[in-house]
Amino acid sequence: MSEPLRELRGPLLPPKDPVEEEEDDYLKEDVEEDEDSVFVDAEELCSGGVKAGSLPGRIEVLIPDENTQEECKVFGRFPITGAWWRVKVQVKPMGSKSYQVQGFPSYFLQSDMSPPNQKNICSLFLKECDFSTDDIQKFLAWVNSVSSYKDLNFENIRETLKSFYKAEARKNKKKSAQNEQEEKSFKLVILWFPKVMEFLPVLLPRHFKRLINSGSKEVLEKIEEILSIHPWKLGFNKITYRELKLLRCEASWVAFCQCPPLLQLMTDLEKDALVIYSKLKQICRELGHTCIEGDNLTSELSGHMSFYNVWQSLKFLKDIGMVTCEKGWIFLYDLYQAEKGIASSISDLMKRPPWHLQVDVKKVLASIHTPKPEDSGSDDEESEPNETGLENSKDIVDPGDSDSLTWDNGDNETNAEVNEVHLDQDQMAALEMICSNAVTIISGKGGCGKTTIVSRLFKHIEKLEEREVKKACEDFEQDQDVPEEWSTFFEQSHKGADKAIEVLLTAPTGKATGLLRQKTGLPAYTLCQVMLDSYLVLNLVIC
């Protein structure tokens, strides 16, 4: 692990079969950790911007090193693998002539077409650029007649194609179709964005493939310009969205450090701003904070820059809309807006009249803590004692197992079960608060039973409502003049069973949402999904 990285430069030879990641544990060391899903504004999602894709899969390629002429077997993530590209990549040894990529490759256009195979390489390249077989054959025949294949290379192929189309136009006495062909062959166009090909796979590995396949010359031209003049802009998602319509897209400071030519184009202020922004994101992600006190931030960065530089850079970040400063605290702008929105919504809920759920919380807790019969099935995920917060409870029943105890008409049997179970007073207090307050905050360590009591409460309410609807239907069926539709209770009730209760369960992340679905058996959604759906409905109503 202490060995220094080696830099390989050379042509990218055709890939071998994909590597099975689960079989090669050592290949997992360079996996870029996926950050938690960010909250994308509904407006942004509806704007048609370019979304991040997944990282390219690992493949095995051969790279003949230009310095040593050694043919190296390399495992890594290569988003494109055309034979007309040279790559520069950092690798570490994994065995005899075998290497693992660290990070992502930079691409450079080859200066020749691998003599003496120019004809075959050119044909393959034009086919990749969506040229028809007939056009390829005509072009190659024309090249052979006016010069020779050895004079053809990737640096002059564009001019050669222009000359070919002009000759075809004169021959057929009609307007040249060269411009139309270039528009059609976008992969031909990307050859003329050298900075995009060199730096974008490293800076934006999740967006790179989608950008070069998008067919947007305008976006690539803007990125090429940014990389030539103001590369720091790619480090901030608000700027990349505003200028390039890229959703939540920003290059990390670590990625910039792998591109020394770009760092030379930045001022000290711009580099310090990227460092501070990276530090803020790291602190918020690792500690779960939404802000950090200004003095603590300057202390964290004291080894990198002076106090004065920190506050100059924070002013710069504030001016471009990436941070908010309030009462000596530094917030990431998006987290600050999220905090304000949540606080406003909770305040609104707390000002409304209190609600009252007519539920016996003891029966709810009894359904959680009632021991299973001896012949019951295998343990489920709710059978761990830690999940209940009760040291004395032996086991927990599945919601389906407890129906006959909690929602049975036999109140004596249910009350008997309640009396036999030691009910946790904290859980009872939490349930009583939920039943009488629109906003209740429950805190506790992982596994103490927060999700369990909330989910079981709403499952209990759903069962009560189901029983009430069923009883009403049975009463109607006993009437002599009952309408015909009431005679089909079972068919109708099954159709509407999923909508028996109007409770919208939400959670911040997909993992938490999945847990809610599993615990309750009810639909659950991420906050992002709920916000987007609300936004789309609102737009539909306005339109």
Side-chain angles (χ1 to χ4, degrees):
M1 294 300 293
S2 60
E3 290 187 43
L5 297 181
R6 175 180 174 182
E7 182 177 282
L8 292 181
R9 286 177 180 260
L12 190 63
L13 300 185
K16 307 298 181 183
D17 294 333
V19 176
E20 294 293 336
E21 296 185 16
E22 61 271 19
E23 296 178 3
D24 297 278
D25 292 336
Y26 67 87
L27 290 177
K28 297 181 180 180
E29 294 178 13
D30 73 334
V31 174
E32 180 182 282
E33 293 186 6
D34 292 335
E35 295 183 6
D36 288 339
S37 300
V38 293
F39 293 112
V40 181
D41 291 340
E43 179 184 353
E44 293 178 352
L45 284 174
C46 299
S47 68
V50 180
K51 303 174 185 176
S54 59
L55 290 174
R58 286 189 185 83
I59 56 175
E60 173 188 327
V61 299
L62 294 177
I63 301 177
D65 188 17
E66 294 174 352
N67 296 323
T68 64
Q69 306 307 313
E70 174 190 0
E71 192 171 78
C72 303
K73 183 169 66 173
V74 179
F75 296 94
R77 302 183 186 276
F78 294 88
I80 54 177
T81 55
W84 36 92
W85 295 110
R86 292 168 52 246
V87 294
K88 179 184 72 174
V89 65
Q90 300 288 327
V91 298
K92 70 176 180 180
M94 299 304 299
S96 177
K97 295 185 180 181
S98 181
Y99 299 88
Q100 180 188 352
V101 173
Q102 300 297 289
F104 298 89
S106 295
Y107 287 87
F108 306 87
L109 190 62
Q110 290 204 59
S111 58
D112 56 44
M113 287 190 177
S114 304
N117 301 312
Q118 291 98 324
K119 180 179 179 180
N120 294 333
I121 294 294
C122 181
S123 177
L124 181 64
F125 172 69
L126 294 177
K127 183 178 180 181
E128 183 76 12
C129 292
D130 299 325
F131 280 70
S132 68
T133 303
D134 186 49
D135 280 349
I136 294 173
Q137 291 176 349
K138 286 181 181 180
F139 173 69
L140 292 174
W142 178 83
V143 169
N144 192 42
S145 65
V146 299
S147 59
S148 66
Y149 295 128
K150 68 179 182 181
D151 296 327
L152 189 63
N153 57 58
F154 288 111
E155 292 179 350
N156 66 22
I157 190 172
R158 187 181 190 185
E159 293 301 321
T160 307
L161 280 167
K162 284 183 179 180
S163 300
F164 165 69
Y165 280 113
K166 286 179 181 177
E168 286 289 295
R170 287 194 300 269
K171 179 181 175 181
N172 299 323
K173 296 182 179 179
K174 63 167 107 176
K175 188 176 179 180
S176 171
Q178 178 256 332
N179 290 332
E180 179 183 344
Q181 184 63 52
E182 278 197 4
E183 289 296 328
K184 176 184 174 184
S185 306
F186 181 70
K187 291 180 181 177
L188 176 63
V189 176
I190 66 172
L191 299 180
W192 288 271
F193 296 110
K195 291 187 182 297
V196 167
M197 301 307 298
E198 180 179 358
F199 299 118
L200 214 60
V202 179
L203 297 178
L204 306 176
R206 296 181 183 276
H207 284 78
F208 172 70
K209 191 73 177 286
R210 290 194 174 184
L211 283 169
I212 65 171
N213 289 334
S214 66
S216 175
K217 288 173 59 178
E218 182 183 355
V219 171
L220 289 182
E221 286 171 354
K222 288 181 179 178
I223 295 176
E224 185 80 7
E225 181 182 355
I226 288 174
L227 289 170
S228 302
I229 305 173
H230 300 298
W232 62 269
K233 288 185 175 182
L234 295 181
F236 302 106
N237 57 54
K238 288 192 176 300
I239 296 178
T240 57
Y241 174 70
R242 184 171 63 243
E243 298 191 11
L244 303 170
K245 283 293 182 285
L246 303 182
L247 298 181
R248 295 302 172 186
C249 165
E250 58 188 19
S252 68
W253 171 245
V254 173
F256 275 116
C257 290
Q258 298 173 39
C259 306
L262 297 183
L263 295 179
Q264 295 174 9
L265 297 174
M266 299 182 197
T267 65
D268 289 341
L269 177 64
E270 292 161 355
K271 286 187 281 190
D272 288 346
L274 285 168
V275 170
I276 292 176
Y277 184 56
S278 176
K279 191 65 177 178
L280 277 170
K281 290 194 298 181
Q282 178 190 352
I283 292 171
C284 292
R285 182 172 60 249
E286 292 180 355
L287 302 181
H289 296 339
T290 56
C291 60
I292 181 171
E293 198 169 7
D295 292 341
N296 291 342
L297 181 62
T298 54
S299 175
E300 290 274 353
L301 296 165
S302 59
H304 300 277
M305 64 191 77
S306 68
F307 175 87
Y308 175 78
N309 288 346
V310 170
W311 287 98
Q312 285 293 106
S313 300
L314 284 173
K315 182 180 183 304
F316 177 80
L317 289 170
K318 184 178 179 181
D319 290 341
I320 63 175
M322 298 309 301
V323 302
T324 297
C325 303
E326 186 174 289
K327 298 179 180 178
W329 292 84
I330 313 300
F331 294 79
L332 290 171
Y333 179 81
D334 290 337
L335 295 181
Y336 179 77
Q337 293 300 320
E339 287 276 280
K340 281 186 63 177
I342 293 170
S344 176
S345 299
I346 291 177
S347 175
D348 181 59
L349 286 171
M350 295 182 71
K351 290 175 183 176
R352 296 181 183 181
W355 64 1
H356 296 285
L357 302 179
Q358 303 300 323
V359 174
D360 186 341
V361 297
K362 292 184 178 181
K363 292 183 180 180
V364 177
L365 288 178
S367 74
I368 298 174
H369 303 304
T370 302
K372 287 184 179 179
E374 292 183 1
D375 59 346
S376 63
S378 60
D379 294 335
D380 57 26
E381 295 184 2
E382 294 182 4
S383 64
E384 299 180 11
N386 287 342
E387 184 69 13
T388 68
L390 295 177
E391 296 179 359
N392 297 330
S393 60
K394 301 291 185 183
D395 219 338
I396 305 170
V397 294
D398 185 79
D401 297 333
S402 60
D403 288 351
S404 60
L405 298 175
T406 307
W407 297 290
D408 197 339
N409 288 330
D411 290 334
N412 292 335
E413 182 181 355
T414 304
N415 291 333
E417 295 293 348
V418 171
N419 293 332
E420 291 176 7
V421 175
H422 173 68
L423 302 180
D424 185 89
Q425 296 303 311
D426 288 338
Q427 289 183 327
M428 285 186 61
L431 284 174
E432 287 171 353
M433 290 178 67
I434 293 172
C435 291
S436 58
N437 296 281
V439 178
T440 301
I441 299 174
I442 306 174
S443 66
K445 65 181 181 180
C448 70
K450 300 183 296 294
T451 303
T452 298
I453 63 170
V454 173
S455 60
R456 197 59 64 94
L457 171 64
F458 287 114
K459 195 69 177 175
H460 178 89
I461 296 172
E462 180 188 37
K463 291 292 184 180
L464 290 178
E465 185 166 326
E466 237 177 65
R467 189 176 69 180
E468 184 178 346
V469 172
K470 181 177 179 180
K471 187 175 185 305
C473 292
E474 289 173 346
D475 291 342
F476 273 107
E477 285 178 347
Q478 293 173 6
D479 292 343
Q480 292 184 352
D481 299 326
V482 64
E484 187 176 330
E485 57 266 27
W486 285 105
S487 301
T488 57
F489 164 71
F490 290 104
E491 181 180 347
Q492 296 291 338
S493 63
H494 287 306
K495 288 182 180 178
D498 292 339
K499 299 182 179 179
I501 183 170
E502 297 296 331
V503 174
L504 180 62
L505 300 177
T506 66
T509 65
K511 184 177 180 181
T513 302
L515 182 62
L516 273 176
R517 290 195 196 102
Q518 175 187 336
K519 293 280 187 182
T520 63
L522 298 170
Y525 307 91
T526 63
L527 289 171
C528 186
Q529 290 172 317
V530 174
M531 292 166 63
L532 175 59
D533 288 343
S534 302
Y535 177 83
L536 293 176
V537 170
L538 178 61
N539 272 356
L540 184 62
V541 171
I542 293 174
C543 293

